[in-house]
């Protein structure tokens, strides 16, 4: 700021050039955008804008108002410097009115010689005239006292809070009080249950319905292609219920009372006579279906299944009902591929019938996986 | 000159034959308590404190504020005269500037002309852009 107030004593008599304050717009631009006194510069800018408005201006360029606000600050600084200079010259540290008037006279007012008195001093007279002429325009906003120096707030002591220390007489009262109990108490937090039983149920039902749907469509496809004979609902009289592609939904075959021995003619059910034909035997599905597949290979499947109920075909149609219960535990279709030679010969005799065989296996597996779905449909 | 000034001040303080001046001075200072300058006291106190001036008297702070306000408003009124003179000058063949000139806008040219009379040499490089819209004509930056 030393370049701001350059008092030229030689030009003291010149009324207008006693203070030559060098100001360039570039420096004030730099100072106004950032810096520690950004706040005060903003206030100064607002004050200058108010003064300009009171003077009669409608608007201002940004650079002009920056310059003027910078000039305001420099003026105050120069005046303060001059005043303190005169105070120090008189041997005082704190300035008074006379130092200020001297500073003012140095700064921009002159015409009053050293012999002039204060009452009719040019400075004070002009200022007095100004004060009387101009209406006071107070600053538009509240300005806090700045710079704000932050004093860290102390924690209240035990005495100030008036906290009761039960049985803790050894703690002096001037010590800081205990923090709030929730800051050091142990408060357990239980994990919240995220799943909703109702939602779970809805999901389950949806999944089940989807499975049923897919099974139904699969079965429809199978029956349409003529392998409907493997349907487990064939508990009625074999001739009536065995129309092609038609499913009998009337009664649950698993709930019907068992037939007395000999009431139903189940001939030639020949369980495989291997040595391992125990109850825990695996791979029974394909084994059981060996004759069926054989029959399908031998005769035309579409012609032989539904239309002619007697003979081997009829037996092949009825057989799955019996063998469902034997093979309920087994779920894999891929296992029968590792059969021994004999059954392999039975199964894979002809390749062109493989498609139908696979379908038969598929529907069998499906029905074994969820027999209740099958019966419900 | 300066020492003469201060000695004159001391003699004036010591002198007691000018009761009228003292009364006028007291009246003026007390009138400052009622006059609220546009420049806030906090700003003046802040910068006076930075310049080494310390005086708890609010009247002196007010006096500084009033002096500063007078300085600025003098400059502003001079610039206003310059601006009016420029507007009243015969308009050049630039038609587009005509509606803009209806409003009185403080520009750097007027300000620098006014400041020159107050001993402030304002050198404003004219090729410096005021803002992003300086080159384009219509929007004037207003505060």
């Amino acid at each position: 700021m030393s370049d701001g107030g350059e008092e030229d004593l030689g030009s003291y008599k010149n009324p207008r050039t006693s203070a030559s304050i060098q100001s360039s717009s570039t420096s004030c631009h730099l100072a106004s955008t950032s810096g520690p006194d950004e706040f005060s510069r903003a206030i100064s800018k607002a004050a200058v804008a108010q003064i300009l408005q009171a003077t009669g201006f409608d608007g201002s360029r940004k650079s002009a108002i920056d310059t003027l606000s910078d000039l305001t600050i420099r003026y105050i600084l120069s005046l303060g410097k001059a005043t303190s200079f005169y105070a120090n010259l008189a041997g005082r540290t704190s300035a008074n009115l006379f130092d200020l008037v001297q500073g003012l006279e140095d700064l921009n007012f002159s015409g009053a010689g050293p012999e002039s008195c204060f009452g009719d001093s040019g400075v004070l007279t002009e200022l007095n005239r100004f004060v009387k002429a101009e209406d006071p325009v107070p600053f538009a906003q509240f300005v806090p006292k700045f710079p704000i120096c932050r004093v860290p707030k102390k924690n209240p002591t035990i005495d100030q809070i008036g906290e009761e220390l039960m049985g803790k007489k050894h703690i002096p009262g001037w010590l800081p009080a205990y923090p709030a109990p929730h800051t050091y108490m142990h408060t357990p937090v239980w994990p919240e249950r995220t799943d909703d039983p109702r939602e779970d149920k809805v999901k389950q039902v949806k999944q089940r319905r989807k499975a049923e749907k897919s099974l139904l469509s699969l079965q429809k496809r199978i029956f349409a292609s003529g392998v409907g004979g493997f349907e487990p609902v064939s508990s009625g009289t074999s001739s009536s219920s065995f129309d092609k592609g038609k499913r009998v939904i009337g009664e649950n075959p698993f709930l019907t009372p068992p037939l007395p021995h000999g009431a139903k003619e189940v001939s030639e059910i020949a369980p495989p006579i291997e040595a391992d034909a125990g109850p825990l035997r695996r791979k029974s599905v394909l084994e059981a279906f060996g004759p069926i597949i054989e029959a399908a290979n031998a005769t035309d499947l579409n012609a032989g299944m539904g239309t002619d109920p007697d003979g081997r075909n009829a037996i092949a149609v009825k057989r799955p009902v019996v063998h469902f219960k034997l093979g309920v535990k087994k779920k894999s279709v891929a296992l029968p591929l590792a059969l021994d030679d004999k059954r392999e010969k039975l199964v894979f005799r002809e390749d062109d019938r493989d498609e139908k065989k696979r379908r038969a296996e598929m529907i069998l597996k499906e029905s074994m996986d969820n027999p209740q779905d099958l019966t419900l449909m | 000159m300066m020492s003469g000034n201060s000695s004159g001040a001391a003699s004036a303080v010591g002198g007691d034959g000018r009761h009228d001046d003292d009364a006028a001075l007291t009246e003026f200072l007390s009138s400052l308590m009622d006059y609220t300058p546009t420049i806030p006291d906090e700003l003046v106190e802040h910068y006076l404190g930075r310049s080494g001036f310390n005086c708890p008297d609010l009247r002196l702070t007010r006096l500084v504020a009033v002096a500063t306000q007078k300085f600025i408003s003098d400059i502003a009124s001079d610039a206003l005269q310059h601006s009016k003179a420029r507007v009243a000058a015969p308009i050049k063949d630039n038609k587009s500037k005509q509606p803009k000139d209806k409003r009185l806008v403080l520009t750097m040219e007027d300000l620098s002309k006014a400041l020159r009379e107050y001993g402030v040499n304002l050198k404003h490089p004219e090729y410096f852009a005021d803002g992003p819209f300086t080159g384009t004509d219509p929007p004037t930056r207003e505060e």
Side-chain angles (χ1 to χ4, degrees), chain A residues 125-136:
Chain A
T125 317
E126 281 187 46
L127 282 182
N128 200 3
R129 208 179 298 138
F130 177 79
V131 164
K132 284 193 177 132
E134 303 269 331
D135 289 334

Side-chain angles (χ1 to χ4, degrees), chain A residues 301-341:
Chain A
L301 213 64
N302 285 337
M305 279 297 168
T307 52
D308 196 345
D310 73 338
R312 285 182 61 91
N313 288 340
I315 290 163
V317 159
K318 284 173 194 170
R319 191 169 289 153
V321 183
V322 180
H323 279 279
F324 273 150
K325 285 163 189 172
L326 289 177
V328 151
K329 286 178 190 169
K330 214 189 87 30
K331 293 196 173 182
S332 169
V333 196
L335 264 174
L337 296 177
L339 293 175
D340 54 355
D341 291 340

Side-chain angles (χ1 to χ4, degrees), chain A residues 146-220:
Chain A
F146 66 93
I148 301 168
C149 41
R150 302 180 182 280
V151 179
K153 212 176 111 189
K154 286 176 185 169
N155 285 334
T157 61
I158 293 175
D159 283 343
Q160 284 172 353
I161 278 193
E163 188 179 358
E164 294 193 4
L165 296 170
M166 312 288 284
K168 296 173 189 166
K169 293 264 167 53
H170 60 281
I171 301 178
W174 46 265
L175 282 182
Y178 280 110
H182 73 272
T183 55
Y184 55 83
M185 292 254 299
H186 176 66
T187 51
V189 178
W190 305 106
E192 211 165 303
R193 190 184 151 86
T194 53
D195 48 357
D196 185 16
R198 192 171 163 275
E199 225 169 77
D200 283 354
K201 196 154 190 172
V202 168
K203 211 169 166 185
Q204 211 174 348
V205 166
K206 263 186 193 168
Q207 275 180 352
R208 206 160 137 196
R209 199 165 295 161
K210 201 175 164 190
E212 282 174 10
K213 220 177 183 179
S214 63
L215 185 65
L216 179 64
S217 65
L218 183 69
Q219 280 209 341
K220 268 183 186 167

Side-chain angles (χ1 to χ4, degrees), chain A residues 40-51 65 69 139-141, chain B residues 38:
Chain A
S40 49
R41 279 184 187 276
I43 290 176
S44 147
K45 216 183 278 184
V48 163
Q50 272 189 294
I51 293 173
I65 210 164
S69 65
F139 193 63
Q141 288 177 6
Chain B
T38 308

Side-chain angles (χ1 to χ4, degrees), chain A residues 16 19-21 23 26 37 40 58-61 63 72 77 83 85-86 93 102 117 124 126 137 145, chain B residues 2 5 18 25 28 38 43 45 47 53-54 70 72 104-106 108 117-120 122 128 130 141:
Chain A
R16 286 287 164 87
S20 73
I21 301 171
S23 169
T26 53
D37 52 352
S40 49
D58 294 325
S60 167
R61 296 287 177 137
S63 56
T72 310
L77 282 173
T83 307
F85 167 73
Y86 281 116
T93 53
Q102 290 296 323
C117 312
L124 289 187
E126 281 187 46
V137 182
K145 187 115 177 117
Chain B
M2 261 189 262
N5 257 345
R18 303 174 183 268
L25 190 62
F28 171 60
T38 308
L43 183 80
E45 273 173 22
Y47 280 110
F53 176 100
N54 55 344
K70 183 175 185 303
I72 296 298
L104 288 167
V105 175
L106 177 67
M108 281 306 270
E117 299 178 19
Y118 286 84
V120 180
L122 183 65
F128 270 9
D130 263 358
R141 298 296 296 264

Side-chain angles (χ1 to χ4, degrees), chain A residues 8-283:
Chain A
D8 192 359
L9 294 177
S11 66
Y12 188 72
K13 297 222 169 62
N14 191 347
R16 286 287 164 87
T17 55
S18 55
S20 73
I21 301 171
Q22 306 285 334
S23 169
S24 70
S25 67
T26 53
S27 72
C28 98
H29 268 304
L30 284 177
S32 65
T33 48
S34 66
D37 52 352
E38 193 177 351
F39 179 67
S40 49
R41 279 184 187 276
I43 290 176
S44 147
K45 216 183 278 184
V48 163
Q50 272 189 294
I51 293 173
L52 284 181
Q53 204 175 16
T55 309
F57 276 109
D58 294 325
S60 167
R61 296 287 177 137
K62 194 174 185 297
S63 56
I65 210 164
D66 276 345
T67 308
L68 265 186
S69 65
D70 187 55
L71 202 61
T72 310
I73 290 169
R74 280 166 192 254
Y75 186 86
I76 296 171
L77 282 173
S78 305
L79 191 55
K81 218 190 287 179
T83 307
S84 57
F85 167 73
Y86 281 116
N88 292 341
L89 195 66
R92 282 172 274 114
T93 53
S94 65
N96 60 10
L97 173 67
F98 309 111
D99 303 324
L100 183 57
V101 172
Q102 290 296 323
L104 278 174
E105 286 189 355
D106 267 7
L107 215 51
N108 59 340
F109 298 99
S110 76
E115 67 278 357
S116 76
C117 312
F118 294 104
D120 52 3
S121 147
V123 186
L124 289 187
T125 317
E126 281 187 46
L127 282 182
N128 200 3
R129 208 179 298 138
F130 177 79
V131 164
K132 284 193 177 132
E134 303 269 331
D135 289 334
V137 182
F139 193 63
Q141 288 177 6
F142 169 72
V143 180
K145 187 115 177 117
F146 66 93
I148 301 168
C149 41
R150 302 180 182 280
V151 179
K153 212 176 111 189
K154 286 176 185 169
N155 285 334
T157 61
I158 293 175
D159 283 343
Q160 284 172 353
I161 278 193
E163 188 179 358
E164 294 193 4
L165 296 170
M166 312 288 284
K168 296 173 189 166
K169 293 264 167 53
H170 60 281
I171 301 178
W174 46 265
L175 282 182
Y178 280 110
H182 73 272
T183 55
Y184 55 83
M185 292 254 299
H186 176 66
T187 51
V189 178
W190 305 106
E192 211 165 303
R193 190 184 151 86
T194 53
D195 48 357
D196 185 16
R198 192 171 163 275
E199 225 169 77
D200 283 354
K201 196 154 190 172
V202 168
K203 211 169 166 185
Q204 211 174 348
V205 166
K206 263 186 193 168
Q207 275 180 352
R208 206 160 137 196
R209 199 165 295 161
K210 201 175 164 190
E212 282 174 10
K213 220 177 183 179
S214 63
L215 185 65
L216 179 64
S217 65
L218 183 69
Q219 280 209 341
K220 268 183 186 167
R221 257 181 61 195
I222 303 290
F223 293 153
S225 65
V227 209
F230 295 116
E231 175 180 44
V233 209
S234 62
S235 69
T237 60
S238 59
S239 57
S240 66
S241 68
F242 255 85
D243 294 336
K244 182 180 168 186
K246 181 183 167 190
R247 292 184 309 127
V248 180
I249 318 178
E251 49 187 324
N252 195 341
F254 295 99
L255 298 179
T256 51
L259 296 172
H261 182 67
K264 194 171 182 180
E265 195 177 303
V266 187
S267 62
E268 285 192 31
I269 300 177
I273 330 169
E274 276 83 21
D276 55 344
L280 294 176
R281 204 169 48 115
R282 293 181 186 171
K283 312 166 187 170

